[in-house]
Amino acid sequence: MLSQVVELIENKQNFGITTHVRPDGDGVGSSLGLCWLLRSLGKHAEVITCDEIPVAYRSLPGADEIRKVAEIDREYDAVFVIECSDVDRPHIGNLEKEFTVNIDHHSTSEHFGSINWIDSTASAVGEMIYNLCKAIGGRITKEIAECIYLAIVTDTGSFHFPNTSERTLKVASELVKAGVKPAEISEAVYNSYPWSRIELMRQVLDTVKRDEGGTIAWMRQTLEMRLTAKAVDGDNNGFVNIPLAAKEILAVIYMREVGENEYRVSLRSKGDINVAKVAEKFGGGGHKNAAGCRVVGDWNEKEGEILTELKKAVEKTQEEYTKKIEDLEIIVA
Ligand code: 5GP
Ligand code: MN
């Protein structure tokens, strides 16, 4: 919990920080935000990852210092593991031998850390780093503010998603006070892609289909598409959300081929439809409205299985909703 994290930071000097493979905005922003916080407290800290940092987040202060490593190659008093369901998610060798601090806002976390601080009410880990800074009596410097603002903006879909709370907006407001220019961050994150993103988007959207009820959309991305579009990592950020722009679409499946018979799956939903539960059935996890998993096997077969589970989740929510309305009508009558 938070008090243990504060105590550890106060008593130790030398920290590593890492996040999951294919780091997203929250992973990168929160890691760097924490790194700047630790440094502002006179500590040694560095961020290590197994993957390159996506172009969209490279303008963050400190992003150019992030070290790409395959395994732990230095001595740390503790390693912070940001946004990871388990100790293997960062794909960094020997991490399990370290004193780890698991900081996450997913309720599905496996509590693998030597210390675990999980807050599923936080919109992003970035919001938790803000709380940590306050708890430890630190000052929100411009560097910290820029990093955790990016974390919050990306994890809330620019304050569109239901995880956006009054507290999220208050924190965002404090970050702007500390020197963040929201338009500059949005420009760097959303309008700085190479043209290959548009090429890839065109091809992926060409595969989009809907079920007969018109509430579920699914689409695919092949390795071939990545090649022909000359895509780079991160070019497909947010593709999964595009079909949600249609009012009648309640849930989306986006499957991308990542190897032979191997696929990464992203699931998104609106309202009470719980896609984390669907992802868990396939060994993954996530949040109610945004989840994912990795599947291996025949593409059509796997897509069919996921679609079946998702249909059940949509129908269950719709039945519950109808029942609620009927109960209300009884009360009103
Ligand atoms: P995305 O679709 O953006 O890759 O992931 C959406 C959410 O699902 C994220 O919050 C992420 O942590 C979670 N997620 C995606 N893939 C996996 C997975 O393989 N395992 C677990 N536990 N969570 C995942
Ligand atoms: Mn997050």
Side-chain angles (χ1 to χ4, degrees), residues 26 83 105-106 125 155:
D26 194 20
E83 265 225 310
H105 68 132
H106 294 83
V125 175
D155 253 29

Side-chain angles (χ1 to χ4, degrees), residues 318-333:
Q318 282 173 332
E319 274 163 25
E320 280 165 6
Y321 179 74
T322 311
K323 188 167 179 317
K324 223 187 266 171
I325 297 287
E326 281 169 3
D327 288 350
L328 270 177
E329 279 168 359
I330 291 166
I331 293 166
V332 172

Side-chain angles (χ1 to χ4, degrees), residues 146-291:
E146 285 182 345
C147 295
I148 61 181
Y149 183 88
L150 182 140
I152 294 171
V153 160
T154 52
D155 253 29
T156 58
S158 300
F159 310 107
H160 278 47
F161 301 153
N163 59 354
T164 308
S165 67
E166 183 205 356
R167 216 176 53 200
T168 312
L169 295 170
K170 255 191 201 142
V171 171
S173 158
E174 289 301 318
L175 299 176
V176 173
K177 230 188 261 174
V180 167
K181 300 265 187 292
E184 282 178 16
I185 303 252
S186 295
E187 197 63 23
V189 171
Y190 298 111
N191 294 344
S192 300
Y193 286 99
W195 180 253
S196 50
R197 172 175 169 82
I198 310 302
E199 281 293 332
L200 188 64
M201 192 185 288
R202 193 170 53 73
Q203 296 189 54
V204 170
L205 284 181
D206 206 31
T207 72
V208 75
K209 292 195 177 76
R210 282 189 299 165
D211 68 329
E212 58 283 7
T215 57
I216 301 176
W218 62 96
M219 56 195 191
R220 291 180 173 197
Q221 178 183 303
T222 63
L223 284 172
E224 175 77 20
M225 288 176 190
R226 280 190 59 108
L227 276 177
T228 55
K230 298 191 174 64
V232 295
D233 283 349
D235 269 356
N236 63 347
N237 279 349
F239 280 9
V240 62
N241 298 312
I242 297 173
L244 291 178
K247 188 174 172 58
E248 62 273 30
I249 293 297
L250 302 178
V252 181
I253 307 171
Y254 167 40
M255 281 181 90
R256 35 223 197 276
E257 184 184 23
V258 290
E260 208 182 324
N261 289 326
E262 192 184 335
Y263 311 93
R264 286 229 42 99
V265 183
S266 286
L267 301 172
R268 294 293 185 273
S269 65
K270 289 177 182 164
D272 283 336
I273 298 162
N274 192 333
V275 285
K277 291 247 166 73
V278 176
E280 276 170 35
K281 291 203 168 117
F282 297 90
H287 305 276
K288 184 171 81 174
N289 297 123

